[in-house]
Amino acid sequence: MKQYKVGVVGGTGMVGQRFVTLMAQHPWFQLTVIAASARSAGKTYEEAVGSRWHMEVPMPEEAKKLVVMDAQADVAAIAAQVDFVFSAVDMKKEEIAVLEEAYARCECPVVSNNSAHRWTPDVPMVVPELNPEHLEVIPAQRERLGTQRGFIAVKSNCSIQSYAPALGPLRSFGLKRVLACTYQAISGAGKTFETWPEMVDNVIPYIGGEEEKSEQEPLKVWGKVENGVIVKADSPMITAQCLRVPVSNGHMAAVFVDFEHKPSIEEMKQIWAEFRGKPQELKLPSAPKQFLRYFEEPDRPQTKLDRDLEGGMTVSIGRLRPDTQYDYKFVCLSHNTLRGAAGGAVLLAELLCAEGYITSRA
């Protein structure tokens, strides 16, 4: 496989740090540029991050001495050095939208962890195993932008990646109603217990904007490309509650679902066990061999035990059983900064490279 030069824009934050760790020893991607705010620009990455390194692994040696560039002032210079960038900037949504489009217009593909372009009609929001066909909208986006190489592709919100992967393969039975209650780790807020001590022994029943995202984003993922835009699905009806819980990493969801044509429990388990997506077919480097893993044990999946399955890229499912108000209920778990954030974006970038949407300039 070709080698690709990669930039991480917003590299000093928690998700940016995760991108940096995932580039170490990646078989296709070479970390070439790290960009951040003007206050970090000109410093080495090691100096810019300082004591704010939040990963469980040491800072990669190849990243330490890279001189941080200015994510906003150096767009053209960054675009000239890399084949594409990951975007993980912490700015106002409107500013992120403008910045990502600036990179795209400089003929630099953008694979974004941010929400700014998730509802732009010609920007694909992709969970690689669920809706890889949405990449077909990219030529229409390029036409709008007036670019040959540049475009924006985004990953979905981390919360829906705990339950949408389990529901997606069941859509042939006609999803009618979904209730999802998510229990979300503090790293989703860019925090650790050291930086957010009030989360210890605490639950906060509010995450700004999260419930709206959790209810609407699956409908775009399950939508279809028509006339150069993505038209969201009409169903199912989704309602969500999102809680912040005292867990370092890992989003769990309690899911209740009604079907038009009710499958059996055995059918659901078999579909989950046998499901393979495009990343598995292509054997992409970050793709888990088993995307969906069902646990028969009544007390699994557990966040501490199961969030790191296959490099944190497997979605775990358990406790499938009939419900008194819905057809079925079950629980799901995903690693929010791996499958749900940086890891999901890296897998999306691998898919974009494998399908020829991102090309190496070398």
Side-chain angles (χ1 to χ4, degrees):
M1 193 69 190
K2 291 182 179 178
Q3 298 295 301
Y4 299 84
K5 294 181 178 180
V6 178
V8 177
V9 180
T12 57
M14 184 171 284
V15 175
Q17 291 177 24
R18 182 69 75 181
F19 275 123
V20 168
T21 65
L22 292 175
M23 292 303 95
Q25 285 92 49
H26 191 283
W28 299 359
F29 300 155
Q30 177 188 353
L31 181 63
T32 304
V33 170
I34 300 175
S37 65
R39 63 179 176 273
S40 295
K43 301 176 182 177
T44 66
Y45 184 61
E46 188 174 29
E47 292 168 343
V49 173
S51 62
R52 296 179 294 109
W53 181 254
H54 297 311
M55 298 296 101
E56 64 278 4
V57 296
M59 183 181 291
E61 289 298 322
E62 60 266 36
K64 288 182 178 179
K65 302 307 178 188
L66 283 177
V67 176
V68 177
M69 299 182 73
D70 189 320
Q72 292 180 281
D74 297 333
V75 170
I78 294 167
Q81 294 182 50
V82 300
D83 296 312
F84 71 95
V85 296
F86 291 112
S87 175
V89 292
D90 183 12
M91 298 162 56
K92 292 179 180 178
K93 188 173 180 178
E94 299 77 15
E95 295 173 342
I96 294 173
V98 171
L99 182 64
E100 290 181 348
E101 196 159 297
Y103 278 94
R105 289 184 185 277
C106 281
E107 299 293 0
C108 181
V110 178
V111 181
S112 179
N113 185 72
N114 299 302
S115 65
H117 278 291
R118 286 185 192 152
W119 287 100
T120 303
D122 60 8
V123 171
M125 180 173 68
V126 176
V127 179
E129 285 87 352
L130 300 185
N131 61 327
E133 71 279 2
H134 283 195
L135 299 183
E136 295 168 9
V137 80
I138 288 173
Q141 185 194 147
R142 282 174 167 159
E143 187 174 348
R144 173 176 64 86
L145 295 173
T147 60
Q148 298 296 314
R149 293 184 76 255
F151 65 88
I152 302 164
V154 301
K155 52 154 287 299
S156 68
N157 191 48
C158 53
S159 67
I160 79 164
Q161 300 202 48
S162 58
Y163 61 88
L167 292 170
L170 305 175
R171 292 184 66 225
S172 61
F173 296 103
L175 300 176
K176 284 200 306 184
R177 291 192 304 158
V178 174
L179 164 62
C181 298
T182 63
Y183 306 89
Q184 301 186 202
I186 63 173
S187 56
K191 304 288 188 178
T192 65
F193 288 116
E194 290 72 27
T195 60
W196 202 7
E198 56 266 42
M199 271 307 305
V200 176
D201 193 31
N202 194 20
V203 171
I204 298 177
Y206 173 73
I207 306 172
E210 202 78 355
E211 288 164 1
E212 294 83 354
K213 295 174 186 175
S214 298
E215 292 170 353
Q216 292 298 316
E217 287 190 16
L219 299 178
K220 183 173 181 180
V221 170
W222 295 330
K224 55 186 176 181
V225 177
E226 289 185 357
N227 301 316
V229 298
I230 298 165
V231 179
K232 73 176 187 177
D234 294 326
S235 61
M237 295 183 294
I238 304 173
T239 184
Q241 283 210 103
C242 301
L243 291 74
R244 190 73 73 191
V245 295
V247 167
S248 58
N249 293 297
H251 288 357
M252 186 169 281
V255 184
F256 303 76
V257 60
D258 268 341
F259 296 95
E260 296 279 357
H261 309 287
K262 183 179 177 181
S264 69
I265 285 178
E266 291 71 25
E267 284 178 303
M268 293 171 68
K269 289 181 180 179
Q270 183 177 357
I271 287 169
W272 286 334
E274 295 177 353
F275 182 78
R276 301 289 184 275
K278 184 64 74 72
Q280 285 72 38
E281 294 172 14
L282 295 173
K283 298 181 179 179
L284 299 178
S286 299
K289 291 182 175 63
Q290 188 72 41
F291 175 45
L292 304 173
R293 176 169 175 182
Y294 186 82
F295 285 90
E296 294 289 351
E297 296 90 335
D299 61 349
R300 302 282 288 277
Q302 291 183 26
T303 302
K304 200 167 186 177
L305 296 180
D306 303 314
R307 62 189 168 199
D308 292 317
L309 285 175
E310 295 208 46
M313 294 297 286
T314 290
V315 176
S316 302
I317 311 169
R319 300 203 70 209
L320 173 62
R321 59 214 191 277
D323 183 60
T324 58
Q325 305 298 315
Y326 289 76
D327 287 336
Y328 294 111
K329 56 188 171 186
F330 56 88
V331 296
C332 297
L333 171 71
S334 65
H335 195 302
N336 59 296
T337 68
L338 287 167
R339 167 56 73 170
V346 171
L347 184 60
L348 173 54
E350 292 168 1
L351 179 62
L352 287 160
C353 291
E355 299 282 47
Y357 290 99
I358 294 176
T359 56
S360 173
R361 292 176 176 177

